[in-house]
Amino acid sequence: EPEVTQTPSHQVTQMGQEVILRCVPISNHLYFYWYRQILGQKVEFLVSFYNNEISEKSEIFDDQFSVERPDGSNFTLKIRSTKLEDSAMYFCASRKQRRDTEAFFGQGTRLTVV
Amino acid sequence: AQKVTQAQTEISVVEKEDVTLDCVYETRDTTYYLFWYKQPPSGELVFLIRRNSFDEQNEISGRYSWNFQKSTSSFNFTITASQVVDSAVYFCALSEAKDSSYKLIFGSGTRLLVRP
């Protein structure tokens, strides 16, 4: 069964460093997302990406964040200068074009900023 | 504004008991989609079910069943004869048709602990 793949599973980084989280969505899906889950809290929407551009972003997704689909298969989330409060689980998800389809999530990348 | 409320933060049951997880949603859209996801201790999010707003038929899948009631804006999830492997955090989520990004709005989750 096709699945969304995220790498790395766990990343530890120093405050102020840049990190790139990588995702390979399901191949025939057209909508891509990043969500964040701070430990013990709810899953929060960060950004959606469709047709090679951001379709929507939340207020969490400030200038420190960016997304890219560089080669038609990978989908990356970059945090330019990490802060302690960026420590969270980051989930990538993808969805077919039809609005009534479910989003499939990757296994997540746990980001720890020290 | 859209919102999903899961008032039960944590539920503890003994194996083989039935348990119902509550979900109440708010939306002004007439067409929307409701979801349940399971997050086991390993951390991934596992899709369980999707429901369209125009389909109020309840659904059963093995030990799982879902009760969708538009009149009370609820989409409750029942596990019959619970098992230890059901222990997880369960999230209810909403997606609105008017939202071009089709993003998911999650509730805060209910942690279910099934004791042997």
Side-chain angles (χ1 to χ4, degrees):
Chain A
E1 186 177 315
E3 58 182 21
V4 177
T5 306
Q6 289 185 243
T7 53
S9 55
H10 190 190
Q11 173 128 18
V12 181
T13 188
Q14 289 203 326
M15 195 167 55
Q17 294 295 305
E18 174 184 286
V19 294
I20 297 176
L21 310 183
R22 302 180 193 280
C23 169
V24 179
I26 296 174
S27 63
N28 62 346
H29 285 192
L30 298 178
Y31 283 86
F32 313 112
Y33 306 85
W34 284 100
Y35 289 82
R36 180 181 83 174
Q37 185 184 30
I38 293 172
L39 187 63
Q41 297 187 22
K42 71 161 82 174
V43 180
E44 301 173 291
F45 167 76
L46 288 178
V47 65
S48 60
F49 193 85
Y50 171 70
N51 201 25
N52 286 320
E53 61 182 19
I54 291 175
S55 52
E56 186 176 348
K57 57 184 180 180
S58 72
E59 49 196 39
I60 301 169
F61 194 89
D62 61 22
D63 292 343
Q64 293 299 313
F65 292 88
S66 62
V67 291
E68 204 174 43
R69 195 145 190 259
D71 56 12
S73 61
N74 290 289
F75 180 50
T76 61
L77 173 69
K78 183 194 289 188
I79 309 175
R80 270 181 258 288
S81 178
T82 49
K83 308 185 191 88
L84 293 176
E85 54 265 37
D86 293 327
S87 295
M89 181 77 95
Y90 289 82
F91 290 102
C92 173
S94 70
R95 191 171 190 166
K96 282 185 180 174
Q97 185 174 16
R98 284 174 51 213
R99 64 177 59 172
D100 61 347
T101 56
E102 54 271 23
F104 289 93
F105 284 78
Q107 79 278 22
T109 292
R110 180 163 298 285
L111 176 65
T112 303
V113 182
V114 297
Chain B
Q2 67 273 46
K3 187 178 175 184
V4 177
T5 301
Q6 295 180 256
Q8 304 151 308
T9 53
E10 188 164 326
I11 301 175
S12 180
V13 298
V14 177
E15 207 170 17
K16 296 195 176 73
E17 282 185 23
D18 298 347
V19 59
T20 295
L21 310 182
D22 297 335
C23 173
V24 174
Y25 61 91
E26 292 176 34
T27 177
R28 292 184 183 157
D29 208 349
T30 53
T31 303
Y32 50 90
Y33 308 91
L34 296 164
F35 303 80
W36 276 94
Y37 283 85
K38 175 181 179 180
Q39 186 175 43
S42 49
E44 72 271 26
L45 286 166
V46 179
F47 166 77
L48 294 179
I49 190 170
R50 168 181 48 84
R51 216 75 188 117
N52 304 332
S53 56
F54 43 86
D55 181 5
E56 282 194 77
Q57 193 171 11
N58 291 328
E59 183 154 340
I60 298 175
S61 176
R63 297 184 296 107
Y64 295 171
S65 62
W66 291 270
N67 184 326
F68 176 30
Q69 292 199 343
K70 284 178 81 167
S71 59
T72 55
S73 297
S74 65
F75 185 44
N76 296 338
F77 173 29
T78 297
I79 302 175
T80 304
S82 58
Q83 299 176 1
V84 172
V85 293
D86 295 327
S87 296
V89 180
Y90 291 86
F91 291 97
C92 181
L94 165 72
S95 179
E96 295 176 322
K98 68 174 186 191
D99 181 347
S100 59
S101 72
Y102 309 158
K103 66 179 181 291
L104 291 169
I105 304 298
F106 283 85
S108 53
T110 297
R111 181 178 300 278
L112 174 64
L113 176 63
V114 182
R115 309 187 310 274

